[in-house]
Amino acid sequence: MRVAPSILASDFSRLGEEVRAVTEAGADFIHVDVMDGHFVPNITVGPSVVRAIRSCSALPFDVHLMISPVDPYVEAFAEAGSDTLTAHPEAGPHLHRTIQLIKRRGARAGVSLNPSTPVEAVRPVLDEVDLVLVMSVNPGFGGQTFLRGALKKIAAIREMIDAGDRDIDLAVDGGITAETAPLVVDAGADMLVAGTAIFQGGPEKYRENIQTLRESVR
Ligand code: DX5
Ligand code: ZN
């Protein structure tokens, strides 16, 4: 099980140290939540912050773009050191073009589905993507309650992925804890994005928090 700590829940006044600490604690990815105050009702970080923390970890950066439009910023986020760039279908008029753009910039391409976005939104582009990110909260804030409607969607996307012959990550984002992680893994997820559950308690707890998540799904 791959674990991607969302740095949204970290101490932004010590962001570089937080990225280092969670890397040393055994994370598999660094999940960066990019919000524009337009596509979602919150504002976080831009490409310059991704670039600034890039040297703090050798882990792949999984950059979740909750911005609209998204295409004009793909190049900057790719150049800043993003390994995966994930966009929402609603963020622009041409999802396929966005995915092409991400791949042309040398990053892996992800698609993220909001709680109200049907799984059918990903089917036409499934052959093009490297990651599907199912939102189990409405995007915008950390610390929200897991929405169980995500489970059916994860199962449906797991079927779609298994029916094909490509390796596609199936990640879940929002309200992931040791209680909800087993549910999403049973449904077919193979990557857990978690903010609050990992960053609670401060750096000396990160290893234990990641371990607790991993053990909950064994
Ligand atoms: C929500 C973000 C998530 C968020 C998860 O819009 O995409 O990555 O940080 O935080 P928790 O794990 O606290 O729900
Ligand atoms: Zn996210």
Side-chain angles (χ1 to χ4, degrees):
M1 183 52 48
R2 276 90 44 80
V3 176
S6 161
I7 59 168
L8 186 60
S10 73
D11 177 352
F12 272 26
S13 73
R14 308 168 37 255
L15 189 53
E17 290 159 56
E18 292 279 70
V19 170
R20 268 188 214 104
V22 87
T23 299
E24 282 164 20
D28 298 300
F29 297 85
I30 300 295
H31 184 87
V32 183
D33 286 306
V34 177
M35 306 184 184
D36 65 353
H38 166 76
F39 184 70
V40 291
N42 194 5
I43 301 177
T44 57
V45 302
S48 59
V49 174
V50 173
R51 187 188 307 280
I53 57 175
R54 186 58 276 193
S55 63
C56 301
S57 176
L59 293 177
F61 275 22
D62 173 39
V63 177
H64 180 189
L65 300 173
M66 289 160 273
I67 61 175
S68 176
V70 60
D71 291 2
Y73 303 99
V74 165
E75 181 171 5
F77 279 103
E79 278 184 1
S82 308
D83 296 276
T84 306
L85 286 172
T86 297
H88 286 254
E90 298 86 354
H94 305 291
L95 178 61
H96 188 276
R97 175 173 288 149
T98 302
I99 292 165
Q100 283 179 311
L101 189 58
I102 291 170
K103 296 207 288 191
R104 218 179 301 130
R105 295 298 170 211
R108 298 168 76 239
V111 172
S112 180
L113 302 180
N114 284 332
S116 62
T117 307
V119 296
E120 286 309 315
V122 76
R123 195 189 290 278
V125 294
L126 199 65
D127 284 343
E128 312 291 330
V129 302
D130 303 292
L131 174 140
V132 179
L133 179 67
V134 175
M135 294 307 300
S136 38
V137 298
N138 283 297
F141 303 95
Q144 302 181 78
T145 303
F146 179 81
L147 300 171
R148 295 183 72 95
L151 296 173
K152 266 193 187 164
K153 289 166 75 173
I154 295 163
I157 295 166
R158 170 48 61 202
E159 260 186 44
M160 283 188 212
I161 292 174
D162 288 350
D165 56 1
R166 294 182 55 248
D167 244 347
I168 302 171
D169 297 333
L170 179 48
V172 190
D173 186 1
I176 296 299
T177 63
E179 284 70 49
T180 56
L183 307 176
V184 304
V185 171
D186 275 352
D190 57 13
M191 180 171 164
L192 302 171
V193 176
T196 309
I198 290 175
F199 285 97
Q200 63 192 356
E204 54 286 342
K205 295 282 275 177
Y206 298 164
R207 179 169 292 278
E208 183 185 327
N209 293 344
I210 291 173
Q211 209 51 41
T212 301
L213 269 189
R214 285 196 205 284
E215 273 159 24
S216 74
V217 302
R218 263 199 204 120

